[in-house]
């Protein structure tokens, strides 16, 4: 994602504070090993990236170092960090009535915080009709229509709330289940399941058991693909192992690695290599 800092809203402005004992974001500690400053920076920026992804846009950050220096940054939803050459814009405090100047202050509407959305909560009213049509199509056995509705609804929610918002992840997960049940294009199914497992993992989706089930289905679908289309399975072995590594599944990773080693042809020498005769040898003379 290319960031134009001038287009990034002034708020929210997060503050990362590094000290010799750890790191915090707006005063809230981030769990990292004490004294490991590189790990602390990475952990704090990873948390900011998630917050940017939840908003679906870049956010502003002030990073304060242990030596007292401060750096204005912009963090994108994809993790890109841009160091700014100018300070963040200053947001003036709300005007108060009767400021002593003899002029009436302009009323400022109070800032209402966005309500927290729990996992599994109903979709917003604007998307309820599409969700109801999706469920009706699935119930009628029309999986093709249900998948198309899920894809359109997911795209609309991602544009509105961001890729890691509970509403977006909920519909993405539903689409993955629908595609898995159809079992038509195993290659596309594996890609979607890998993407869904990673999204759920990075968003902290609940229940976690469902994230594990999606990851397990991705591995099982890849195994089926390996039996029917080894070339495609080889192409997807990398994304699959990356996902399994992020989820911490070493046993499944070893299974994929073993299959890749067996499926990859190894160079072989000729069965009966022969050397050219040396014309200087007795056998080479005529």
């Amino acid at each position: 994602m290319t960031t134009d800092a001038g287009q990034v809203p002034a708020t929210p402005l997060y503050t990362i504070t590094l000290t010799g004992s750890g790191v915090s974001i707006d005063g809230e500690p981030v769990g990292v090993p004490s004294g490991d400053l590189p790990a602390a920076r990475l952990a704090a920026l990873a948390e900011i990236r998630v917050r940017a992804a939840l908003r679906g846009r870049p956010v502003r950050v002030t990073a304060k170092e242990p030596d007292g220096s401060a750096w204005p940054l912009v963090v994108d939803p994809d993790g890109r960090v841009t160091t700014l050459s100018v300070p963040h814009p200053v947001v003036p405090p709300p005007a108060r009535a009767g400021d002593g100047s003899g002029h009436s202050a302009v009323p400022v509407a109070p800032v209402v915080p966005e309500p927290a959305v729990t996992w599994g909560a109903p979709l917003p009213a604007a998307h309820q009709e599409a969700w109801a049509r999706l469920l009706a199509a699935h119930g009628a056995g029309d999986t093709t229509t249900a998948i198309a509705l899920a894809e359109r609804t997911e795209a609309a929610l991602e544009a509105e709330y961001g890729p890691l918002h509970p509403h977006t992840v909920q519909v993405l997960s539903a689409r993955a289940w629908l595609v898995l049940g159809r079992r038509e294009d195993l290659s596309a199914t594996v890609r979607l399941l890998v993407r869904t497992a990673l999204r759920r993992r990075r968003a902290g989706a609940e229940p976690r058991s469902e994230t594990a089930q999606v990851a397990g289905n991705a591995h099982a679908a890849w195994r089926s693909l390996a039996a029917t289309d080894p070339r495609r399975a080889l192409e997807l072995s990398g994304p699959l192992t990356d996902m399994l590594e992020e989820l911490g599944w070493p046993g499944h990773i070893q299974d994929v690695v073993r299959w890749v080693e067996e499926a990859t042809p190894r160079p072989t020498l000729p069965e009966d290599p022969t050397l050219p005769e040396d014309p200087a040898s007795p056998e080479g003379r005529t």
Side-chain angles (χ1 to χ4, degrees):
M1 176 182 291
T2 302
T3 299
D4 179 358
Q7 300 300 317
V8 180
T11 58
L13 172 58
Y14 299 106
T15 300
I16 296 175
T17 304
L18 283 161
T19 65
S21 59
V23 61
S24 64
I25 299 175
D26 293 345
E28 293 293 329
V30 177
V32 291
S34 177
D36 190 344
L37 289 183
R41 288 190 186 92
L42 290 175
L45 289 172
E47 172 63 25
I48 295 295
R49 185 195 67 79
V50 172
R51 300 187 188 191
L54 288 172
R55 290 181 174 271
R57 62 167 176 80
V59 295
R60 293 180 179 271
V61 178
T62 297
K64 296 183 177 180
E65 295 288 318
D67 62 4
S69 60
W71 301 92
L73 311 173
V74 166
V75 178
D76 284 83
D78 62 5
R80 184 189 302 272
V81 178
T82 303
T83 302
L84 303 181
S85 58
V86 295
H88 293 299
V90 177
V91 179
R96 294 176 296 177
D99 59 3
S101 64
H103 301 286
S104 300
V106 177
V108 177
V111 177
V112 180
E114 298 177 0
V117 177
T118 58
W119 292 101
L123 295 183
H127 303 281
Q128 283 289 342
E129 181 182 355
W131 183 251
R133 289 170 56 202
L134 184 158
L135 295 177
H138 175 58
D142 187 356
T143 307
T144 301
T145 299
I147 292 173
L149 286 167
E151 189 167 8
R152 287 200 295 269
T153 305
E154 177 197 340
L157 288 166
E158 181 170 341
E160 187 174 354
Y161 296 99
L164 299 182
H165 191 276
H167 293 325
T168 309
V169 175
Q170 174 186 338
V171 179
L172 170 63
S173 301
R175 182 159 72 92
W177 288 118
L178 291 167
V179 170
L180 179 65
R182 189 167 59 173
R183 288 187 174 273
E184 287 187 357
D185 185 343
L186 278 175
S187 177
T189 299
V190 173
R191 291 182 187 278
L192 179 59
L193 290 170
V194 166
R195 176 186 173 209
T196 304
L198 287 174
R199 283 274 190 93
R200 292 185 61 87
R201 168 75 171 77
R202 293 166 184 174
E206 297 290 348
R208 295 186 180 181
S209 59
E210 186 172 325
T211 302
Q213 192 168 359
V214 174
N217 285 335
H219 177 259
W222 176 84
R223 263 298 184 182
S224 298
L225 180 65
T228 57
D229 193 342
R231 183 179 65 83
R232 295 275 187 181
L234 195 59
E235 292 174 356
L236 291 174
S237 61
L240 178 66
T241 52
D242 288 345
M243 180 271 290
L244 294 171
E245 183 176 5
E246 185 163 331
L247 267 68
W249 287 21
H252 288 70
I253 294 174
Q254 291 173 7
D255 175 66
V256 177
V257 171
R258 280 194 300 266
W259 181 90
V260 170
E261 290 176 345
E262 294 171 359
T264 304
R266 298 178 181 178
T268 56
L269 294 174
E271 293 184 2
D272 185 21
T274 58
L275 295 175
E277 292 182 350
D278 182 357
S281 66
E283 294 81 5
R285 297 194 186 101
T286 56

